[in-house]
Amino acid sequence: MTPMFTPTRTSYGAPGVNLAAVGPRMTEVAAEVANGVIAHGFTTAKYLREVTLPAVQRGLAKSGRRRAEFDVSLPVMVVAGVDEDAFARSRQAVQAQLGFYASTPAYRPVLELHGWGELQAEAHQLTREGRWQDMGALITDDILDAFAIVSEDIDAVPALLKQRYAGLADTWMCTVDTGDSDRQRQLVAAL
């Protein structure tokens, strides 16, 4: 390696490597060879419990490591707003994102776990027709609630995250637009 790209010796050791994964096989590989797994935003608590974490355990067993030595990171979508209009915009944006993810064939198993497998075919058909703006309408309240933290009370979001993901994820990243940058900073600080 040229000196320009050779890191100086530090006391921090080698950087950790986390791998992104959705399906059980890639998750198992991540747990076998990496420092952590970054789950997909198109993940539910049920999918984490029933698919992701068992795959993590299998991978860790292969590498002889313990769960405490491995990070499960989860991007979490949040629907919140400082007023009704901001809440509605946030809800619409998250539904559109979930509708887009639902169109991806590789993510169908997440939907199937909940009995929503046919949603993938419907969303995929909308992509073939170029009807991207219609995808969010496929996301019902039940589906939205399974994939996102939905709260008209912004102050409740940190407790709702903890309630849903405690013991499932070690770290999380939140996607949220409250409609007010000061309020958003307060929410981030509370998280």
Side-chain angles (χ1 to χ4, degrees), residues 9-95:
R9 298 212 181 270
T10 68
S11 60
Y12 303 110
V17 175
N18 289 10
L19 298 176
V22 176
R25 183 67 187 123
M26 185 63 191
T27 302
E28 188 174 325
V29 168
E32 183 179 357
V33 303
N35 299 97
V37 66
I38 303 168
H40 196 282
F42 198 68
T43 298
T44 64
K46 181 176 181 170
Y47 193 82
L48 280 170
R49 271 191 308 277
E50 297 182 20
V51 178
T52 303
L53 293 179
V56 164
Q57 286 304 130
R58 290 190 303 272
L60 290 173
K62 287 180 182 179
S63 67
R65 294 182 296 156
R66 296 173 298 129
R67 175 66 177 85
E69 300 172 276
F70 188 79
D71 183 66
V72 175
S73 182
L74 177 67
V76 179
M77 290 183 231
V78 177
V79 175
V82 293
D83 56 33
E84 285 184 33
D85 289 338
F87 181 83
R89 284 191 307 275
S90 176
R91 180 184 185 88
Q92 184 177 23
V94 171
Q95 285 176 303

Side-chain angles (χ1 to χ4, degrees), residues 22-24 42 47 51 98 100-125 147:
V22 176
F42 198 68
Y47 193 82
V51 178
L98 290 170
F100 169 72
Y101 286 152
S103 73
T104 306
Y107 303 157
R108 186 179 180 117
V110 180
L111 294 166
E112 287 177 340
L113 183 66
H114 293 274
W116 302 322
E118 289 306 311
L119 172 62
Q120 190 279 317
E122 292 175 57
H124 187 69
Q125 183 59 39
F147 284 96

